[in-house]
């Protein structure tokens, strides 16, 4: 609700000032409609949330493992950085190992094998055969 | 016509297309079999792989992943009582009891054949109706297109899983995300906040990968009970004798019809189709009491209907460019990435490609039989694979896929943030499919509205002067009104329930 309100206010900044040379309808005409609708519906949802308990099909079933969730979230963030810096061939096995470890997998031999084979397979199939761009590692450009 | 079909057949029989078809079928079954992955995630994962392929090979891979992943969901439904995809939830009702009494191979046989029959029936519907619907779209100008898109989006939000209000909000979030970047009509950049990468808007693939794949990893992390694999009943593949099939032909036919037509409706989806077909089969069956205890008709009804949805859902997607659900929204996005714009011009100018899609869809369905029969004994082993080892694979594939779009670290960041947002939204009960559909349809919706306003001289009442638009807008208004009334009624009911709950 707050985000839609702020974005709506942003549409009144000078850069979006209506210019008849650029068409008959302002460039933020439609975004304003969307943001107003979003604001109103978010407000309705908030009001509904205060007068009744939330039961609209939340997916959380049972208890959430917050510690594991935080660890996996950290691993995912770190994975993005590792892949960007080290590339797929070197960073890929680290990403798989890191995420699997935080998810509770504890067989180091299987993990190492899967991590290395998967990374090399992806590099070969996507990068070399299919010609798809794979992370090469920014660190190698700097060195 | 015949020439175009032969050209389409030639495209479909190219080695790249056939290879992609086989690979797609295998990938599709694997993501279908493994609970938590599913059709949408499978499509998102293979989407970057298709970037370097010719369009027919890319379509082969996407179509086969789509068709076979729905089938794959039935395997885990039968062997571990957990549907691999939501579409196969109804299959657990009779599939698992069959497996428990030692008929797992037979249940898989029924599910495989039912999936093929449903898919092939819906293919016939697709071939017959899509060109007609595309021809009808010739009458559509910007005003009619706007009314149609608005109607489709309202329907999708209306029938989306969970709260209707949340479905609408999710659609609006998707539309807004689609509007970020340069305005197609004026070239002005909107909502970029000085970030250079945002001036071109959000790339679709990182957003999809985050919403579906990384959000699923976080979901699994939060709810995973242990790293131990579930107990699995041994699989196999066995076909029932011919008389058994013959006496069940009506279930096949009715479920195929139900699935195909529900598929055409925006938003209804395969899960609803499977349950409706299941209920219909149960109501009409002389063995009503056996349903829920391992009645093959239950497996047949569910699996025929959910696979029949795939062809039905492709009708509005190919003919009008309107996706019926999240999965077809991803397919639509994939088509546009490959320069294939659905609608009448696709049927007129790229008839051979459309025909190749039909042929590939047929092959993809037939391949289910081969993959289902040949791999049946392997699925039990696959289901024993621990999630804690599968999810890291998804993470790596996700980031590689996000990178493949523009080779930009910004897309890795977008995927990560979309993953967190997707997880938070799912946790709060927001459906993700309307976000994707809104993201894809947002720009065409805005474009047609603005073009329409120019046509009617800014007079919004001009929109109802077109009969087609008037009917569609009236239907949209009726749906919206009905939604508002039900929200108010629900609020009043919960208000009157509240004191009682408090006393309890």
């Amino acid at each position: 609700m707050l985000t839609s309100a702020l974005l709506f206010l942003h549409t009144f900044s000078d850069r979006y000032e209506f210019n008849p040379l650029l068409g008959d309808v302002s460039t933020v005409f439609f975004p304003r409609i969307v943001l107003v609708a979003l604001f109103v519906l978010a407000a309705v949802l908030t009001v509904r949330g205060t007068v009744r308990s939330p039961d609209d099909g939340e997916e959380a079933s049972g208890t959430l493992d917050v510690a594991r969730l935080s660890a996996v979230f950290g691993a995912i963030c770190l994975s993005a950085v590792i892949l960007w810096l080290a590339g797929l061939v070197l960073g890929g096995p680290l990403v798989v190992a890191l995420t699997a470890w935080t998810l509770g997998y504890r067989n180091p031999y299987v993990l190492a094998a899967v991590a290395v084979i998967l990374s090399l397979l992806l590099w070969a199939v996507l990068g070399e055969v299919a010609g798809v761009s794979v992370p090469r590692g920014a660190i190698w450009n700097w060195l | 016509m015949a020439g175009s079909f032969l050209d389409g057949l030639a495209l479909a029989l190219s080695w790249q297309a056939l290879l992609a078809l086989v690979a797609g079928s295998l990938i599709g079954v694997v993501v279908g079999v493994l609970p938590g992955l599913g059709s949408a995630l499978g499509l998102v994962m293979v989407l970057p792989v298709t970037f370097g392929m010719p369009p027919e090979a890319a379509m082969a891979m996407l179509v086969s992943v789509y068709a076979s992943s729905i089938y794959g969901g039935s395997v885990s439904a039968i062997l571990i009582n957990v549907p691999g995809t939501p579409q196969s939830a109804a299959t657990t009702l009779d599939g698992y009891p069959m497996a428990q009494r030692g008929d797992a191979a037979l249940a898989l046989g029924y599910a495989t054949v039912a999936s093929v029959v449903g898919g092939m029936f819906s293919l016939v519907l697709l071939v017959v109706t899509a060109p007609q619907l595309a021809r009808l779209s010739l009458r559509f100008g910007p005003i009619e297109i706007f009314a149609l898109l608005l109607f489709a989006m309202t329907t999708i939000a209306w029938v989306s899983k969970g709260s209707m209000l949340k479905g609408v909000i999710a659609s609006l979030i998707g539309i807004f995300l689609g509007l970020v970047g340069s305005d197609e009509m004026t070239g002005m950049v909107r909502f970029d906040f000085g970030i250079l990468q945002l001036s071109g808007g959000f790339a679709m693939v990182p957003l999809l990968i985050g919403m579906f794949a990384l959000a699923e990893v976080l979901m699994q992390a939060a709810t995973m009970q242990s790293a131990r694999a579930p107990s699995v009943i041994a699989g196999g593949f066995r076909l029932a004798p011919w008389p058994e099939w013959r006496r069940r032909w009506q279930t096949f036919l009715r479920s195929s019809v139900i699935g195909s037509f529900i598929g055409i409706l925006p938003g209804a989806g395969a899960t609803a189709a499977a349950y409706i077909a299941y209920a219909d089969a149960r109501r009409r069956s002389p063995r009503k009491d056996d349903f829920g205890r391992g009645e093959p008709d239950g497996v047949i009804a569910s699996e025929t209907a959910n696979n029949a949805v795939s062809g039905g859902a492709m009708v509005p997607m190919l003919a009008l460019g309107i996706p019926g659900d999240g999965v077809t929204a991803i397919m639509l996005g994939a088509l546009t990435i490959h320069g294939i714009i659905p609608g009448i011009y696709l049927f007129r100018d790229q008839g051979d490609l459309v025909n190749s899609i039909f042929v590939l869809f047929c092959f993809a369905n037939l391949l289910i039989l081969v993959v289902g029969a040949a791999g049946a004994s392997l699925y039990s082993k696959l289901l024993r694979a621990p999630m804690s080892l599968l999810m890291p694979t998804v993470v790596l594939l996700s980031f590689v896929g996000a990178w493949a779009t523009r080779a930009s670290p910004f897309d890795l960041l977008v995927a990560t943030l979309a993953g967190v947002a997707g997880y938070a939204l799912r946790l709060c009960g927001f459906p993700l499919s309307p976000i994707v559909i809104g993201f894809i349809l947002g720009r065409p919706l805005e474009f047609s509205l603005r073009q329409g306003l120019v046509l009617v001289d800014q007079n919004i009442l001009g929109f109802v002067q077109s009969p087609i638009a008037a009917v569609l807008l009236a239907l949209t208004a009726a749906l919206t009104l009905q939604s508002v009334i039900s929200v108010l009624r629900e609020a009043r009911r919960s208000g009157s329930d509240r004191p009682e709950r408090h006393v309890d």
Side-chain angles (χ1 to χ4, degrees):
Chain A
M1 193 167 81
L2 198 63
T3 311
S4 54
L6 291 173
L7 286 168
F8 181 73
L9 291 177
H10 171 71
T11 64
F12 290 97
S13 68
D14 292 345
R15 61 180 294 195
Y16 301 125
E17 204 168 302
F18 178 60
N19 182 352
L21 290 173
L22 289 175
D24 294 328
V25 184
S26 163
T27 188
V28 284
F29 169 70
F30 186 65
R32 277 181 192 157
I33 296 174
V34 173
L35 290 168
V36 167
L38 204 50
F39 179 82
V40 171
L41 292 177
V44 171
L45 196 64
T46 311
V47 171
R48 271 180 66 188
T50 55
V51 296
R52 50 178 286 204
S53 57
D55 62 346
D56 285 334
E58 279 82 351
E59 282 200 28
S61 53
T63 52
L64 290 181
D65 189 338
V66 180
R68 182 184 281 154
L69 179 65
S70 313
V72 172
F73 172 64
I76 286 176
C77 293
L78 208 57
S79 296
V81 178
I82 290 171
L83 273 180
W84 171 50
L85 289 176
L88 176 61
V89 177
L90 281 181
L94 279 175
V95 167
V96 175
L98 184 71
T99 324
W101 202 263
T102 51
L103 279 164
Y105 194 79
R106 291 289 181 269
N107 186 333
Y109 301 109
V110 175
L111 191 54
V114 169
V116 172
I117 291 169
L118 182 72
S119 304
L120 289 177
L121 198 72
L122 279 178
W123 171 76
V125 174
L126 290 180
E128 300 303 309
V129 178
V132 173
S133 171
V134 294
R136 304 271 169 193
I139 206 164
W140 311 123
N141 295 336
W142 300 336
L143 289 175
Chain B
M1 178 72 187
S4 174
F5 175 75
L6 288 176
D7 288 345
L9 188 65
L11 279 178
L13 289 175
S14 67
W15 70 268
Q16 295 105 319
L18 291 177
L19 192 66
L21 195 76
V22 175
S25 283
L26 294 172
I27 295 167
V29 171
V30 169
V31 295
V33 167
L34 296 169
L37 302 189
S39 312
L41 194 141
L43 283 170
V44 167
M45 294 280 102
V46 300
L47 190 52
V49 182
T50 67
F51 286 172
M53 293 180 181
E56 65 278 5
M59 279 314 297
M61 183 163 261
L62 295 167
V63 160
S64 56
V65 169
Y66 182 27
S68 53
S69 61
I70 300 176
Y71 158 70
S74 68
V75 176
S76 42
I78 290 166
L79 298 182
I80 58 170
N81 201 24
V82 176
T85 57
Q87 297 98 315
S88 292
T91 310
T92 56
L93 299 174
D94 283 285
Y96 188 64
M98 278 182 82
Q100 276 182 314
R101 69 168 186 239
D103 284 335
L106 192 63
L108 284 173
Y110 275 121
T112 309
V113 174
S115 299
V116 176
V117 171
M120 294 305 273
F121 184 92
S122 70
L123 171 67
V124 175
L125 188 82
L126 174 68
V127 172
V128 173
T129 55
Q132 309 304 326
L133 195 61
R135 214 162 285 145
L136 182 76
S137 72
L138 265 182
R139 295 186 195 168
F140 286 22
I143 295 172
E144 288 81 7
I145 291 173
F146 170 75
L148 183 67
L149 290 174
L150 195 67
F151 173 67
M153 295 223 54
T154 314
T155 318
I156 289 159
W158 196 58
V159 297
S160 54
K161 191 182 138 198
S163 161
M164 191 171 49
L165 187 60
K166 289 179 180 175
V168 180
I169 291 176
S171 298
L172 290 169
I173 292 172
I175 292 175
F176 181 77
L177 290 175
L179 297 178
V180 173
S182 73
D183 173 6
E184 279 173 33
M185 288 182 92
T186 63
M188 266 179 91
V189 178
R190 302 176 294 193
F191 308 106
D192 63 328
F193 302 103
I195 301 167
L196 184 67
Q197 288 88 345
L198 276 183
S199 58
F202 287 107
M204 188 183 68
V205 176
L207 210 64
L208 287 178
I209 281 175
M211 286 270 176
F212 286 98
L214 294 179
E216 182 60 44
V217 173
L218 290 171
M219 205 76 201
Q220 293 278 349
T223 53
M224 204 182 274
Q225 294 304 310
S226 70
R228 214 157 28 88
S231 61
V232 185
I233 296 174
F237 185 84
R238 185 156 62 89
L239 290 177
W242 174 242
E244 282 292 311
W245 297 104
R246 213 172 44 193
R247 75 184 174 115
R248 299 180 198 281
W249 70 270
Q250 286 180 322
T251 311
F252 277 108
L253 184 64
R254 273 197 306 267
S255 307
S256 297
V257 173
I258 290 171
S260 300
F261 283 95
I262 287 181
I264 294 178
L265 300 174
T271 312
Y275 275 109
I276 292 169
Y278 182 87
D280 175 74
R282 185 180 182 172
R283 197 175 62 241
R284 291 172 191 269
S285 174
R287 301 173 295 278
K288 273 189 196 71
D289 297 338
D290 293 344
F291 273 73
R293 295 177 192 166
E295 167 57 42
D297 270 353
V299 176
I300 291 170
S302 161
E303 281 306 305
T304 310
N306 66 18
N307 278 271
V309 164
S310 55
M314 281 169 73
V315 173
M317 185 195 77
L318 282 177
L320 303 170
I322 293 179
D325 55 15
V327 180
T328 41
I330 297 167
M331 292 270 285
L332 182 64
L335 286 175
T336 48
I337 285 173
H338 285 278
I340 304 166
I341 310 298
I344 184 64
Y345 298 111
L346 174 66
F347 283 80
R348 196 191 62 186
D349 303 336
Q350 291 174 283
D352 51 347
L353 186 65
V354 174
N355 284 325
S356 77
I357 294 172
F358 294 157
V359 175
L360 289 164
F361 190 68
C362 174
F363 288 171
N365 277 298
L366 292 175
L367 257 180
I368 289 176
L369 202 58
V370 180
V371 174
S377 53
L378 297 174
Y379 299 144
S380 321
K381 292 192 181 89
L382 190 63
L383 281 167
R384 288 192 185 100
M387 265 307 165
S388 51
L389 199 56
L390 289 169
M391 285 298 143
T393 313
V394 173
V395 172
L396 185 61
L397 278 167
S398 299
F399 282 130
V400 172
W403 181 272
T405 322
R406 297 187 287 200
S408 160
F410 180 73
D411 287 331
L412 298 181
L413 179 69
V414 170
T416 308
L417 293 177
V420 177
Y423 169 71
L425 287 167
R426 276 181 66 175
L427 203 65
C428 298
F430 284 89
L432 296 185
S433 292
I435 299 182
V436 179
I437 295 168
F439 182 74
I440 288 170
L441 295 186
R443 277 186 182 249
L445 191 70
E446 180 192 26
F447 195 69
S448 54
L449 172 67
R450 286 167 67 179
Q451 273 191 325
L453 281 172
V454 172
L455 279 177
V456 296
D457 248 352
Q458 320 283 334
N459 179 10
I460 197 85
L461 287 176
F463 274 62
V464 289
Q465 280 167 7
S466 150
I468 298 174
V471 170
L472 289 167
L473 289 171
L475 286 171
T476 308
L479 274 180
T480 312
L481 194 69
Q482 207 275 337
S483 313
V484 172
I485 290 169
S486 71
V487 166
L488 290 174
R489 202 175 286 166
E490 210 178 313
R492 194 177 301 162
R493 202 181 308 140
S494 67
S496 60
D497 283 352
R498 205 173 153 76
E500 284 172 36
R501 216 180 288 161
H502 187 70
V503 170
D504 288 343

